[in-house]
Every structure is written in C-alpha cells, then in structure tokens.
C-alpha cells in the first residue's frame, strides 16, 4: 500500500500515520507534504500511489490550489477541521471527508469505503454499476446506455459522453470523479484529468513521449493522451 499524506500539522500527521499503520502494517508512506509548493513539485513527477490523505487548509493556502495544477494518480480522503469544503473535495477525486478530530472508527469507515470502491475485485460483482445515463435534449429525456459509450470528457465545466458514432452528449453529472464511481472499472479507465475511455473502444495505442501514451478509439479522429501520472496504472489495467 503506497500512500502520501498532505498535512502541515505535525501532531495531526503523526496521528494519521499511526492510524494508517494500524490499518495497513506494511503500508509505505512515500511522503508527507506540508505546502502547496511541495505538493506541486512532488506530483510534477510520475508517481504510483494507492491513496492520498490530504488536509485542506495549509499554511500557504488551500490544497485545491495545488490539486488544480496536477493530475492525481489515486483517490483522495480529505481530512479537515472545516465542513465547508466537501463539494470542492469531491470535485478533486475525493471519496471521503473526515472532520478533525476523527476517531480510528471513523477512519476505518473511510478506509472501508475506499476498499469497496477500488481495492477488492471480489466485491465488484455485488456493486450495481450505472447502466444508463439520462440526457435532456430540447426538453425531452433520452437514454444513453453505458455499453454505447466510448469515452467521458470534461470540457469547460461540462461532462460529455461520447458514443460509438462519435457524437457527444451533455450529462447532468458535474465532475469525472462522480462518473468514475458509477461505472465498471473493468471496462472504463480514467487516463488523465479530463478523459475516461472504454476498453472496448480502444483500437490501438503507441508511445507519445517517454512517460505517456497516445490512444486511438474506434470512430474518433482525435488522439487521447494518458497523463504521465496514470500511464503506469493504465498499462497494468490493460494487463500488459
């Protein structure tokens, strides 16, 4: 288990580290970052991580300032003394929101949610993934089946679903992290901050540069590029 902590309070970081090692005795805490600059610098290089624990209010500003500049390779459990930022948290790959001071029991509940979403393939058949999305066009509700979706894209604050005919449809969902928890991870993979692709639509891929890949989807003229922080996990997802 590879974990990074973003926390500028020494006692809070120590307590969280203790909880982590109780939960995962063999966990590797790769880094404890204390500022926006440290976060941006650390994630400026490709990282292979399983989970990020992040405070929100740092001494030099809110962590969202840093997260908007990087492409996170893993989900985030936010830890904070304030209850005002939960919407921002879930727009930045947040899967849990722990209010300080939180107990080990509450920490364990957050970890259980992480396992249910990301870490236990045996439990996946019990999860009811979304089968269709409702699209509103000219006052009419239309259905778009998930099996007919080649990709999801975030553009200018809007979430789009691209179908097999290379047509894009506007969805009511507000961010890709929300979409990510609703669809089958065996079929869909988030390749960067803005794109999720369907493996059944992937025709071929090739090296784009040293740390990224160029992906070609059936029926799409545009090229989809993996981010350097997600390329390694994408290769694992493809089982290559």
């Amino acid at each position: 288990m590879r974990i990074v902590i973003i926390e500028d309070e020494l006692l809070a970081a120590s307590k969280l580290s203790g909880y982590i090692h109780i939960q995962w005795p063999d966990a590797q805490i790769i880094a404890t970052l204390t500022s926006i600059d440290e976060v941006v610098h650390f994630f400026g290089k490709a990282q292979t991580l399983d989970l990020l624990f992040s405070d929100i209010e740092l001494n030099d500003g809110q962590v969202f300032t840093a997260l908007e500049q990087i492409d996170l390779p893993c989900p985030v459990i936010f830890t904070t003394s304030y209850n005002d930022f939960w919407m921002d948290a879930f727009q930045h790959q947040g899967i849990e929101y722990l209010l300080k001071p939180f107990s080990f029991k509450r920490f364990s509940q957050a970890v259980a949610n992480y396992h249910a979403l990301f870490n236990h393939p045996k439990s996946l058949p019990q999860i009811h993934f979304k089968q269709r999305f409702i699209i509103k066009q000219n006052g009419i509700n239309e259905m778009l089946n998930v099996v007919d979706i080649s990709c999801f894209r975030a553009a200018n604050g809007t979430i789009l679903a691209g179908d097999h005919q290379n047509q894009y449809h506007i969805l009511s969902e507000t961010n890709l992290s929300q979409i990510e928890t609703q669809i089958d991870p065996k079929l869909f993979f988030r390749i960067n901050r803005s794109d999720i692709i369907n493996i059944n639509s992937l025709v071929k891929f090739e090296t784009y540069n040293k740390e990224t890949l160029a992906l070609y989807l059936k029926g799409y003229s545009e090229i989809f590029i993996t981010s350097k922080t997600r390329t390694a996990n994408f290769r694992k997802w493809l089982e290559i």
Side-chain angles (χ1 to χ4, degrees):
M1 192 73 181
R2 293 172 59 85
I3 295 172
V4 163
I5 295 173
I6 301 175
E7 176 59 73
D8 60 0
E9 298 178 12
L10 181 60
L11 291 178
S14 178
K15 176 182 176 181
L16 180 57
S17 177
Y19 281 178
I20 289 170
H21 285 297
I22 293 173
Q23 186 70 46
W24 298 288
D26 297 328
Q28 299 179 55
I29 298 178
I30 306 303
T32 299
L33 311 174
T34 61
S35 68
I36 291 172
D37 286 343
E38 285 185 9
V39 173
V40 173
H41 177 74
F42 179 83
F43 285 102
K45 301 177 182 179
Q47 305 290 343
T48 302
L49 301 174
D50 296 296
L51 186 59
L52 171 65
F53 287 90
S54 179
D55 191 6
I56 293 178
E57 290 284 2
L58 303 177
N59 287 330
D60 57 348
Q62 292 183 2
V63 73
F64 304 126
T65 302
L67 300 186
E68 288 169 358
Q69 302 177 51
I70 61 180
D71 182 24
L72 288 172
C74 64
V76 185
I77 293 178
F78 285 95
T79 64
T80 179
S81 300
Y82 306 92
N83 60 8
D84 303 326
F85 304 114
W86 64 270
M87 182 61 73
D88 296 292
F90 290 112
Q91 290 178 348
H92 291 84
Q93 296 181 216
I95 59 168
E96 266 285 3
Y97 195 91
L98 298 179
L99 279 174
K100 299 177 182 175
F102 51 88
S103 65
F104 181 71
K105 179 180 179 180
R106 179 66 185 95
F107 171 85
S108 296
Q109 291 172 341
V111 168
N113 288 338
Y114 163 75
H115 282 309
L117 289 171
F118 297 97
N119 210 37
H120 280 316
K122 290 182 180 179
S123 67
L124 291 182
Q126 301 174 11
I127 299 175
H128 299 289
F129 296 112
K130 203 172 185 72
Q131 299 298 308
R132 60 195 61 84
F133 289 87
I134 298 176
I135 302 167
K136 294 184 178 180
Q137 294 185 348
N138 301 320
I140 300 174
N141 294 323
E142 299 182 1
M143 309 303 293
L144 178 62
N145 292 325
V146 171
V147 295
D148 296 324
I149 296 175
S150 297
C151 63
F152 296 92
R153 312 202 80 175
N156 300 319
T158 301
I159 303 299
L160 305 173
D163 63 26
H164 297 334
Q165 284 71 49
N166 194 13
Q167 298 294 315
Y168 284 103
H169 309 272
I170 298 176
L171 302 181
S172 60
E173 283 73 13
T174 58
N175 61 81
L176 281 187
S177 296
Q178 181 182 1
I179 296 286
E180 217 175 351
T181 63
Q182 297 175 335
I183 53 180
D184 189 344
K186 292 181 180 178
L187 299 179
F188 292 92
F189 189 89
R190 187 170 181 176
I191 61 170
N192 54 45
R193 290 181 65 187
S194 303
D195 298 306
I196 297 174
I197 64 113
N198 185 338
I199 192 172
N200 292 323
S201 296
L202 181 62
V203 177
K204 62 180 180 179
F205 65 92
E206 62 187 9
T207 300
Y208 185 73
N209 61 31
K210 184 178 179 181
E211 297 179 313
T212 64
L213 300 171
L215 313 181
Y216 299 84
L217 302 188
K218 189 184 305 181
Y220 285 76
S221 58
E222 63 260 51
I223 301 172
F224 294 74
I225 308 298
T226 63
S227 68
K228 61 182 180 181
T229 58
R230 297 177 188 263
T231 299
N233 284 338
F234 177 73
R235 288 183 176 276
K236 292 179 181 178
W237 181 68
L238 290 178
E239 298 181 348
I240 59 172

